Amino acid sequence: MIRLTADDLTLTDSQALKIRYHLLEFIPATRCTIHRGPGPVIEVPDHDPAELAPGVLDRIEQIANCSFKVESAPDKPLP
């Protein structure tokens, strides 16, 4: 599972929708979960962080106007 995290930020609905679009379209993933924050967490199950191209991560960070920490996590979604 890909997990993107950031501190001290809350994503807007618009940002979350744009980020979801980019992840679903360009990984391509069939689903992703976005907890808008504060301290947003974005999870993409069934994919490895190596599948997240630098250009896609850059675009997500531009949309959110912050940097995300990219982690690998077990495929156990957040509650």
Side-chain angles (χ1 to χ4, degrees):
M1 173 185 296
I2 301 169
R3 179 179 285 162
L4 305 173
T5 59
D7 295 325
D8 301 326
L9 170 75
T10 300
L11 297 172
T12 66
D13 286 336
S14 176
Q15 288 170 316
L17 287 171
K18 289 175 186 176
I19 289 169
R20 172 174 276 119
Y21 167 79
H22 279 80
L23 290 172
L24 296 178
E25 185 71 20
F26 297 110
I27 286 184
T30 56
R31 60 192 169 118
C32 73
T33 304
I34 299 177
H35 298 276
R36 296 187 312 118
V41 177
I42 302 167
E43 294 183 335
V44 183
D46 304 322
H47 291 277
D48 186 81
E51 296 176 70
L52 184 61
V56 175
L57 179 59
D58 288 345
R59 183 63 184 131
I60 289 169
E61 290 177 338
Q62 288 174 355
I63 292 167
N65 198 30
C66 76
S67 295
F68 281 94
K69 180 178 177 185
V70 181
E71 306 169 344
S72 180
D75 280 321
K76 180 181 173 187
L78 291 174

